[in-house]
Amino acid sequence: MLIGILLLGFSAFLLAAIGMFAAPLGMGAGISPLYLAAALALFLAIGLSMQRNLVRLRHALNLSHRKQRRLSATSRIDPLTGLLNRATFMRSLDKALGRWRGGGPAVSVLLVDLNRFKSVNDAHGHAAGDLLLVETARRLSTPKTAGTTVARVGGDRFALLLEGDVGALPESVGHRMLEDIAAPVPIQNGSVRISASIGMAVAEQPQVSGNELFRAAEMALGGARRSARGKVHRFEAGTEEAVKERHALEADLRRALDEGEIVPYYQPLIALDGDRLIGFEVLARWQHPTRGLVPPAAFIPVAEEIGRIGELFDKLLVRACSDARGWPSELRLSVNISPTQFAEPQMATRILDILAKENFSPARLELEITENALVDEVSSARLILTTLRNVGVSVALDDFGTGYSSLRHLSDLPVDRLKIDRGFVESARRDEEGWRIVRAIVQLAGTFDLATTAEGIEAPEILATLRELGCDIGQGYLFGKPISAEQTSLWLLGRPLPTALAS
Ligand code: C2E
Ligand code: MG
Ligand code: MG
């Protein structure tokens, strides 16, 4: 409209100019109304066409602005979960630190990492993995405290920026989050459960940058994943050292796995109705060239984390089957299996292949699983264990009473025996309360038609009482410590009474 008026004005100005120019030449009288009308029409047409072009231009500009806005939103937001992405989180963190330096609220960063997310992806498919991430994002976004910014900063890693008083607050937020994440997530064929680890860092030095605070939270997360899955770890001085040490251990373990430095040790299992040796528990030992004999607690969790526990299990099983070839054929082997291995659907087939190749009867093999394997991977655990049990492998629930399985698992899952945790057997030596627990476990096992093995028998009086209670199998330093294959062969040749093995 404005442009039309301008054009009309411009036309009138041009005509007037022509009139002024023509008059002195004596042409003024010659300008006919027809000429005036034609000129006016021409200017109007030009004006209209320009206006249409301008409208088109404005439309195109609008579109481009909208596209730009959309683009800048996608560069700020993670498309799968709708949370902020890492770059935006880092900008928000820098701003929050700026406010804090100016007297604003304290700033903490919480990094939440899902444990064994890869296993869910592998076992249930990427669609289920995506669902799990979206649901975790939703749970993390429900308001926990004022001033929380939530972002997805990696595949299965989330970050929270808390602005508020320090003290216990960030820890309590973290613990609530772990509880929320642990609730089952419905997927297409049932549900999955996942746990998480949380690393946390609180800004303390005014000069700390966003990147430094984030890195401190990453280091604390490393600590949480290393030592206590499912816990909240706070960054502390020394964490950096621990992280370096852990990297060195990881590299060393990869080398040790390649070079076969991890070998099986054997601890006798004794039937308590007559002190018969019935087999051995296979316990991993790392024969380190400089550190000496490294116990499994130091490297099994690392092997799990770097995804090489299945390979370690296979190597130990092959070695144990071949060691046992020289021993009496009635002796059985009990092998520990890590919960993470149940995420691998081919596990049962791989075990059976090894047994076939090593010509070791499945009836001579017992798998020791922990209760957490049943909780984390209940459906795949049931399938794998049923397949193995159908061909004669038996299953023991290790460290019973220390995990999270429910009584339903005892009747529901393919389990043959409960192993009473060493902690209970030890406490039975000290007090009546400990005895009550051991007695209750033996009775519970009886109710579900399960056999029992008591771990950690060190004293003759404990052995006597366990026998009275009706416990089936005993294991402990009283009978013998775990020893190498060579030592076991020698011991078997001498065949001393099991009780003489105490060391
Ligand atoms: P676990 O399966 O409960 O094994 C029993 C642990 O108790 C062994 O510790 C054994 O040496 C110890 N023990 C047995 N009797 C006594 C006793 O009378 N007194 C004391 N103080 N200790 C006793 P170890 O060998 O250090 O193994 C620790 C844990 O590491 C095992 O607990 C098992 O959960 C895990 N582990 C060992 N080998 C493997 C493996 O090859 N794969 C997996 N996934 N885990 C393994
Ligand atoms: Mg065991
Ligand atoms: Mg145990």
Side-chain angles (χ1 to χ4, degrees):
M1 180 69 178
L2 181 69
I3 288 166
I5 292 167
L6 280 175
L7 280 170
L8 273 175
F10 180 61
S11 316
F13 166 76
L14 213 62
L15 284 171
I18 292 169
M20 273 164 65
F21 177 68
L25 298 175
M27 291 166 68
I31 296 171
S32 70
L34 196 65
Y35 166 77
L36 277 174
L40 198 62
L42 180 68
F43 282 122
L44 272 175
I46 293 170
L48 277 174
S49 135
M50 280 176 72
Q51 191 179 14
R52 208 173 305 137
N53 280 342
L54 270 170
V55 167
R56 255 190 236 132
L57 191 68
R58 193 179 297 150
H59 184 65
L61 265 175
N62 273 348
L63 271 181
S64 134
H65 279 150
R66 243 180 281 155
K67 206 167 164 185
Q68 258 178 15
R69 270 202 300 273
R70 253 203 325 266
L71 270 176
S72 86
T74 45
S75 67
R76 283 187 297 121
I77 281 170
D78 164 51
L80 177 68
T81 59
L83 293 180
L84 296 182
N85 62 19
R86 186 184 176 119
T88 319
F89 181 82
M90 294 311 288
R91 278 196 293 278
S92 309
L93 176 56
D94 283 334
K95 282 186 197 153
L97 284 172
R99 285 192 289 275
W100 169 63
R101 281 182 213 111
V107 176
S108 334
V109 171
L110 268 78
L111 277 186
V112 181
D113 195 277
L114 300 182
N115 299 329
R116 303 188 197 124
F117 173 71
K118 189 178 168 298
S119 314
V120 173
N121 248 349
D122 291 347
H124 303 282
H126 286 267
D130 283 356
L131 255 176
L132 189 61
L133 290 173
V134 170
E135 178 57 17
T136 305
R138 193 192 63 76
R139 291 178 190 180
L140 290 178
S141 306
T142 48
K144 294 282 179 309
T145 175
T148 310
T149 304
V150 190
R152 182 176 173 216
V153 292
D156 59 347
R157 191 167 284 190
F158 300 86
L160 280 97
L161 162 61
L162 297 189
E163 290 188 76
D165 277 341
V166 273
L169 177 71
E171 264 105 343
S172 58
V173 172
H175 284 119
R176 259 179 288 151
M177 273 167 184
L178 289 181
E179 275 170 26
D180 286 357
I181 292 171
V185 175
I187 56 167
Q188 207 181 8
N189 301 316
S191 67
V192 283
R193 298 173 73 128
I194 200 149
S195 60
S197 306
I198 295 187
M200 190 190 106
V202 182
E204 275 157 9
Q205 309 291 335
Q207 68 275 19
V208 72
S209 71
N211 275 334
E212 283 163 347
L213 195 61
F214 194 87
R215 185 165 149 62
E218 279 182 324
M219 283 192 260
L221 177 64
R225 293 174 61 89
R226 204 167 42 248
S227 63
R229 275 170 182 253
K231 294 269 163 60
V232 181
H233 254 229
R234 194 173 178 143
F235 175 81
E236 272 153 26
T239 304
E240 197 153 6
E241 270 311 300
V243 167
K244 277 192 198 137
E245 223 171 83
R246 156 62 200 245
H247 283 314
L249 176 69
E250 216 178 279
D252 212 6
L253 181 61
R254 288 179 199 277
R255 184 196 52 75
L257 282 165
D258 294 337
E259 293 176 13
E261 277 175 16
I262 298 171
V263 295
Y265 264 47
Y266 301 92
Q267 187 177 29
L269 297 166
I270 308 296
L272 296 186
D273 61 349
D275 280 0
R276 274 174 306 116
L277 172 73
I278 58 131
F280 299 98
E281 175 166 6
V282 178
L283 294 158
R285 293 289 182 272
W286 180 357
Q287 287 174 323
H288 196 279
T290 55
R291 295 182 203 215
L293 207 60
V294 182
F299 62 87
I300 295 286
V302 186
E304 285 174 355
E305 228 167 83
I306 63 175
R308 294 188 66 176
I309 189 73
E311 176 194 335
L312 173 60
F313 174 90
D314 290 359
K315 285 181 173 164
L316 289 172
L317 182 59
V318 169
R319 187 88 178 248
C321 289
S322 115
D323 288 342
R325 217 171 285 139
W327 303 340
S329 61
E330 74 277 8
L331 293 183
R332 296 160 54 90
L333 293 178
S334 271
V335 186
N336 292 282
I337 194 155
S338 150
T340 52
Q341 292 178 252
F342 287 98
E344 199 210 313
Q346 299 307 316
M347 192 182 91
T349 325
R350 282 219 334 256
I351 293 179
L352 295 179
D353 282 351
I354 292 175
L355 296 181
K357 257 192 219 129
E358 296 299 318
N359 198 16
F360 191 87
S361 161
R364 291 178 68 191
L365 180 69
E366 181 166 76
L367 291 177
E368 296 196 3
I369 62 170
T370 57
E371 295 167 85
N372 296 350
L374 304 178
V375 176
D376 288 351
E377 305 280 349
V378 69
S379 49
S380 57
R382 178 183 287 118
L383 196 71
I384 290 169
L385 296 177
T386 307
T387 310
L388 290 167
R389 255 176 119 230
N390 285 344
V391 293
V393 175
S394 53
V395 179
L397 209 46
D398 207 352
D399 307 336
F400 183 74
T402 60
Y404 304 101
S405 71
S406 72
L407 285 183
R408 177 150 289 283
H409 288 137
L410 294 184
S411 59
D412 221 23
L413 282 163
V415 174
D416 302 278
R417 132 182 351 269
L418 300 184
K419 288 195 79 173
I420 307 168
D421 187 65
R422 175 154 57 93
F424 296 131
V425 177
E426 265 167 17
S427 68
R429 201 174 170 183
R430 287 192 303 268
D431 51 46
E432 176 58 26
E433 188 64 26
W435 267 125
R436 267 193 236 138
I437 296 178
V438 172
R439 198 180 308 126
I441 296 178
V442 175
Q443 282 166 358
L444 185 71
T447 313
F448 287 97
D449 267 339
L450 303 171
T452 43
T453 298
E455 301 174 337
I457 305 176
E458 293 187 7
E461 67 274 15
I462 294 276
L463 172 63
T465 323
L466 282 166
R467 235 187 231 127
E468 258 170 50
L469 284 181
C471 184
D472 304 289
I473 292 175
Q475 175 183 3
Y477 290 177
L478 181 65
F479 302 116
K481 286 184 172 177
I483 48 175
S484 69
E486 296 71 34
Q487 290 169 313
T488 306
S489 297
L490 286 176
W491 176 67
L492 283 170
L493 281 177
R495 285 274 180 139
L497 279 176
T499 39
L501 250 185
S503 46

